[in-house]
Amino acid sequence: HNYRYKDSMTSILFMGVDKDELGTVKNVVGTGGQADALYLIAIDTDNGVTTTFQISRNTMVDIDLYNTAGDFIRTENNQICLSYAYGDGKETSAENTVRSVRRLFYGLPVAQSYTALDISGISALNDSNNKVVYNEGQTYELQGKDAESFVRSRNHETANYNDNRMARQKAYLNAFIDKTVSMTKSDITTPVTIYNSAKPYMTTNLSAAKVSYLATDLLRKGITSADIQKVPGKDKDGKNYVEYKVDNKKFFKMIVDTFYVQAD
């Protein structure tokens, strides 16, 4: 079949960085932290259908490498989380990660908007939207460090330590989104309130105005959730560390189903 790209698509890349404060140490490239959590939120603005791609930090993809002075060295196939380290720990790090994500998505113009959040921002983000249901059958009220521990901790003694953490992140995000949608229906300013709570802890090119517009538009179109799909693949032991190898056949189908429409 022939397909065409949906002009109505927009997407936001969310990066969770493993540092208490965004930035580098003494302005040295390579000290800006790693993007341990990566989520691409794809929104069809025509109908409000939203798909969130959960990207493993261990995903192998071409990333741009820079020396400590910030000069480009080469492109190398490596874990996607490392792309964030090659920059200023803020804007240029986020932009380098965006480039790697676009390579992963076969060069599609994804991640027009991005947000990088430091570790401290998890508590701020959570505490602006509490009483989150995160375990089937029971309701908990996560506060501060409890929320951070739930989405961030991992047991390195198990082979699938990152898969376990990603499963907890998915459970948390599903509950967080459900709660946010519910609260926004009662108070349309909720997304901007959450944005402002997290702003001191993040680097973003996403404005409060765009957040407000998207939230209002998606609610009007009846959004109830953001379908979270893990980029398919499998962790394998590499030479130096675990490498997540994407199942390109399954992933390509996910991309076509999300970003394209059949034209014949």
Side-chain angles (χ1 to χ4, degrees):
H1 296 288
N2 293 315
Y3 292 84
R4 64 173 176 81
Y5 185 80
K6 298 177 186 175
D7 294 332
S8 56
M9 296 302 298
T10 188
S11 56
I12 304 165
L13 179 64
F14 175 84
M15 297 163 268
V17 183
D18 64 345
K19 290 196 69 175
D20 289 322
E21 185 176 347
L22 296 182
T24 56
V25 177
K26 297 181 179 179
N27 296 319
V28 176
V29 170
T31 61
Q34 301 178 14
D36 273 351
L38 289 163
Y39 292 84
L40 182 76
I41 306 168
I43 304 168
D44 188 334
T45 57
D46 273 351
N47 53 30
V49 173
T50 302
T51 303
T52 299
F53 292 86
Q54 185 183 39
I55 305 167
S56 170
R57 70 181 299 281
N58 300 331
T59 300
M60 299 300 290
V61 69
D62 287 344
I63 68 174
D64 292 344
L65 306 185
Y66 296 82
N67 63 23
T68 54
D71 301 318
F72 176 77
I73 305 173
R74 65 182 182 277
T75 297
E76 180 177 280
N77 194 257
N78 217 322
Q79 289 179 322
I80 196 169
C81 64
L82 298 176
S83 58
Y84 195 88
Y86 293 97
D88 61 1
K90 294 182 179 179
E91 287 87 359
T92 62
S93 287
E95 290 163 0
N96 198 37
T97 303
V98 166
R99 283 193 291 273
S100 294
V101 169
R102 286 177 176 171
R103 287 169 182 153
L104 176 64
F105 280 74
Y106 300 97
L108 288 181
V110 296
Q112 295 95 334
S113 301
Y114 66 77
T115 293
L117 185 74
D118 67 27
I119 292 171
S120 301
I122 299 173
S123 299
L125 194 63
N126 177 84
D127 292 355
S128 66
N129 185 10
N130 57 18
K131 295 184 179 178
V132 179
V133 180
Y134 71 91
N135 193 26
E136 184 177 358
Q138 297 187 48
T139 302
Y140 297 83
E141 183 174 352
L142 286 178
Q143 295 289 344
K145 291 294 182 181
D146 291 334
E148 177 188 327
S149 176
F150 185 76
V151 300
R152 184 177 173 231
S153 62
R154 49 183 173 156
N155 183 359
H156 288 273
E157 295 178 0
T158 62
N160 59 342
Y161 65 87
N162 193 55
D163 280 346
N164 290 337
R165 179 170 66 173
M166 289 176 70
R168 278 184 275 113
Q169 290 175 354
K170 180 177 180 178
Y172 177 89
L173 285 173
N174 274 324
F176 188 93
I177 292 167
D178 288 346
K179 186 66 176 179
T180 300
V181 170
S182 175
M183 292 172 64
T184 304
K185 288 179 178 178
S186 300
D187 182 358
I188 197 62
T189 66
T190 296
V192 175
T193 298
I194 295 173
Y195 173 92
N196 289 333
S197 297
K199 191 174 182 180
Y201 310 96
M202 68 184 185
T203 289
T204 184
N205 64 353
L206 184 63
S207 67
K210 186 170 182 179
V211 169
S212 178
Y213 168 77
L214 286 174
T216 302
D217 190 53
L218 290 175
L219 276 182
R220 182 173 59 83
K221 290 168 180 171
I223 184 176
T224 57
S225 63
D227 181 27
I228 300 177
Q229 300 185 27
K230 182 181 178 183
V231 172
K234 184 178 293 186
D235 276 319
K236 296 183 178 180
D237 290 330
K239 184 177 180 180
N240 299 311
Y241 39 70
V242 174
E243 300 178 355
Y244 188 81
K245 301 293 188 179
V246 173
D247 185 325
N248 287 302
K249 185 176 181 179
K250 292 181 180 178
F251 185 41
F252 188 79
K253 185 178 186 305
M254 288 173 62
I255 289 176
V256 171
D257 290 344
T258 302
F259 293 95
Y260 287 83
V261 60
Q262 190 171 321
D264 61 6

